[in-house]
Amino acid sequence: MPKVKKPLRRSLRTTNTTNPIPTNLPSLRQRKPPKPPSLTHTLTQPPNDPNHHLPLFTLPPPLTLHLTTFLTLAEKIALALTCKAAAHIIGTKYWGLFKRKEHWARDPLHVDARAKLFELLMRDWDARGSGEEYCVGCGIIHPKLRDPGEYRETRWTRACLGQDAVVDYLPRGEEEGKGYVLVFPHILAALKESSETGKTRGEGPLIDMLSGAFTIECPGGKVSWSLESSGRRIDGRLVVRHVHTFRGLATGKKEKGKGQGNTITAQQILPLPLPLRLCPHQSTTTTLPPPSRYIKSRTPNAPLLTHAISSVFPAAERQPVDFALFRSPTKSEAEQISSASNNRDFVYRCRSCPTKFRTRYDDLEMALVVTSWHCLGRNAAQAVGCWRGLVRREGPLLGVEKRNDEWWSRGVGGVDFRVE
C-alpha cells in the first residue's frame, strides 16, 4: 500500500522574529548572595572596632579560633555576644544551636549548657539592677517571683508554672496592688523557709512571704471587704490562713436604735455581685453552672457556706437560707449544719479539699468575720496532692474528672489538721 502522508500540524505558538529574546540575560531564579550579619564585620570593610586592640584579638584569627575550642558551647556563645570583633572571629554558627536542645546534651564539658549560658547572661544583666532571672519552666528571662500580695498573673504564668499552678479566685481590687495571688512556687519556698519548724509540734512563727492585707469596696458601695492572709507551720504542716472581714459603710443616715448607719446584715453579704469564695468548692453563689459540652446535668451549689454565714447573724439581721436555691446537703454537710447550731465557734470542713473555715459575727465592730485555713502538707510531695484540690478549674470543654469547682469535684477532703 502506498504510504499516506500525515497532514502537517500548525503550531499555535508564534516566534517573535522582530524582537528576539536575548540569550545572555541572567536567570530570574538566580539568588542574591546573603548579606552578612549586622553584628559581624565584612571582609571588604576594615574593622574600626577599638576591641581589636585587646590582647585576645591581637592574636592571629586562626589562633584565637583555636583557643575557643577549649570553651563550652555556652561560653562560646557568650564570648561571641561580647562585641563585633569576637563575633567576627568565632562566627554566629553556634547561635543556631541555642534552640536545638539535643545539641546541648552533646556538649562534653558542660551538660547543662543552656542554664550555664543564661547564668552568664544574667551575671551581666543583674549588674544593671534589673531584678530579673532565668525561668527554667518557660526558658525565658523575666522578673523574679514576687510575694503573693504583690504577684500578678501575666501571659507567661501558664507557660512557666502550668495550667494548675495559680490560686486566683480571692477578691481583688480595681486599684493596682490590691490582691493576693498564690502560686505553687510560693508554697515550695515557704516549705523550705520553715523546714526547721516543720519537725516540731505546736505553732511555728509567721512566714513573711505569705503575709498580705488589703481592703476593697464591694460593688454597690455599701460593704467593705478586708482580707488578711498569713502562713505558718502547725504541728509540722504548712497552713495558710485567710481572714475575710465585711463591714457596713457609713451612709450618713441614722436608723432607729442603730446610730450611724454602718451595721451589716446577711442581706448585704449573700447577694453580693462578687461571691465569697473560700476554696474552689465553698462559695455563696446561687447561679447554675454554665453549660458544658461533656456534662449535661446542672446541679446547684452546696448550701454549707451560705448557711454558715447566715446563722451567725443576730435574729434582726439574719436572712433565712432558701434551700430551694441549692442542692441537698450531703450526709457530712448535714451533720456539720446540725452540730454548728449548738456551737458558736464550730469549724466547718470542705469535703473536697483540705480546707476548714469558721464564721463569726463581731458585736463590737458590727462586722462579719470568715476565717479559712488551707493545709499544704509537711513537704513538697504532700504539697502537690493538697495543691490540686485548691486550684479552681472550670470551663465548658472540661469533663467531670478535670473540673474542680463548686459544682463538680472528684477530690477528697484529705488529712485532718489542727487550726489556730
Side-chain angles (χ1 to χ4, degrees):
M1 292 180 62
K3 294 183 179 181
V4 180
K5 294 183 179 181
K6 295 182 179 180
L8 297 176
R9 295 182 179 178
R10 296 183 179 273
S11 176
L12 298 178
R13 298 179 180 178
T14 58
T15 58
N16 190 354
T17 57
T18 58
N19 298 320
I21 299 177
T23 57
N24 58 350
L25 290 179
S27 175
L28 297 178
R29 296 184 179 180
Q30 184 178 1
R31 296 181 179 178
K32 297 182 180 180
K35 295 182 179 180
S38 59
L39 296 179
T40 60
H41 298 296
T42 60
L43 297 178
T44 58
Q45 181 182 3
N48 297 321
D49 195 343
N51 293 323
H52 278 276
H53 302 288
L54 297 176
L56 179 62
F57 303 122
T58 55
L59 299 175
L63 180 57
T64 305
L65 187 61
H66 176 70
L67 293 177
T68 60
T69 58
F70 298 96
L71 301 178
T72 63
L73 183 57
E75 293 169 346
K76 291 177 184 177
I77 298 177
L79 180 59
L81 290 173
T82 55
C83 60
K84 290 186 177 182
H88 175 63
I89 297 176
I90 300 174
T92 58
K93 58 182 179 181
Y94 299 107
W95 300 1
L97 303 180
F98 177 76
K99 295 183 179 180
R100 303 177 185 177
K101 296 182 179 180
E102 63 273 9
H103 289 275
W104 294 92
R106 299 174 187 174
D107 191 21
L109 299 180
H110 203 291
V111 178
D112 194 10
R114 187 179 182 88
K116 179 65 176 179
L117 173 61
F118 279 103
E119 180 183 347
L120 295 173
L121 295 178
M122 291 305 301
R123 184 184 63 182
D124 299 333
W125 187 258
D126 284 341
R128 305 179 184 179
S130 63
E132 299 182 347
E133 64 180 357
Y134 168 65
C135 178
V136 181
C138 62
I140 64 173
I141 298 175
H142 55 62
K144 294 182 179 180
L145 182 67
R146 296 185 177 181
D147 294 344
E150 301 176 354
Y151 183 87
R152 295 297 175 267
E153 187 176 1
T154 63
R155 59 175 181 172
W156 303 112
T157 304
R158 303 296 180 181
C160 300
L161 308 175
Q163 297 296 324
D164 303 333
V166 184
V167 172
D168 56 353
Y169 45 76
L170 297 175
R172 188 179 305 175
E174 297 180 356
E175 301 178 11
E176 185 178 359
K178 290 188 176 182
Y180 191 89
V181 180
L182 199 64
V183 295
F184 192 66
H186 290 146
I187 304 302
L188 296 179
L191 289 172
K192 184 178 180 181
E193 180 181 344
S194 60
S195 59
E196 295 298 328
T197 59
K199 303 176 183 178
T200 59
R201 299 187 62 84
E203 297 181 3
L206 293 175
I207 302 174
D208 296 335
M209 183 189 61
L210 298 179
S211 301
F214 64 94
T215 301
I216 63 173
E217 184 176 326
C218 295
K222 297 181 180 180
V223 178
S224 67
W225 187 346
S226 300
L227 177 63
E228 181 181 354
S229 305
S230 61
R232 66 172 66 191
R233 293 265 192 169
I234 301 179
D235 293 341
R237 296 186 177 93
L238 178 62
V239 178
V240 178
R241 184 186 70 170
H242 300 299
V243 181
H244 303 259
T245 305
F246 297 88
R247 296 182 177 87
L249 297 177
T251 58
K253 298 179 181 179
K254 292 186 178 181
E255 300 179 8
K256 272 188 177 182
K258 296 183 181 180
Q260 200 74 11
N262 57 352
T263 58
I264 187 170
T265 62
Q267 289 84 354
Q268 294 176 306
I269 299 297
L270 298 181
L272 283 177
L274 183 64
L276 171 61
R277 181 171 287 110
L278 305 181
C279 68
H281 321 100
Q282 300 299 329
S283 69
T284 57
T285 180
T286 57
T287 60
L288 290 175
S292 176
R293 179 177 180 179
Y294 303 102
I295 304 175
K296 303 304 178 183
S297 61
R298 301 180 67 185
T299 307
N301 184 27
L304 187 61
L305 179 58
T306 303
H307 170 79
I309 293 175
S310 179
S311 61
V312 297
F313 278 92
E317 286 83 16
R318 186 176 303 175
Q319 180 183 12
V321 178
D322 186 4
F323 285 96
L325 301 176
F326 302 92
R327 62 167 173 81
S328 300
T330 62
K331 182 179 179 181
S332 63
E333 292 172 346
E335 292 176 355
Q336 295 183 65
I337 292 175
S338 177
S339 301
S341 58
N342 301 323
N343 186 359
R344 182 180 179 183
D345 296 328
F346 183 79
V347 177
Y348 298 85
R349 65 184 183 276
C350 180
R351 68 186 186 96
S352 300
C353 69
T355 296
K356 293 184 177 182
F357 63 95
R358 179 177 60 203
T359 57
R360 181 174 59 88
Y361 181 79
D362 194 334
D363 298 328
L364 297 178
E365 296 187 6
M366 292 181 290
L368 172 68
V369 181
V370 181
T371 307
S372 63
W373 297 270
H374 311 276
C375 178
L376 277 306
R378 302 178 184 271
N379 48 47
Q382 296 181 5
V384 172
C386 297
W387 182 261
R388 292 175 181 173
L390 297 177
V391 177
R392 192 168 186 265
R393 297 181 295 272
E394 61 176 348
L397 300 180
L398 295 180
V400 178
E401 297 182 355
K402 295 184 178 180
R403 293 196 65 158
N404 188 35
D405 52 26
E406 55 263 54
W407 299 291
W408 295 288
S409 176
R410 299 179 63 88
V412 293
V415 297
D416 192 14
F417 61 97
R418 187 171 67 89
V419 301
E420 300 173 86

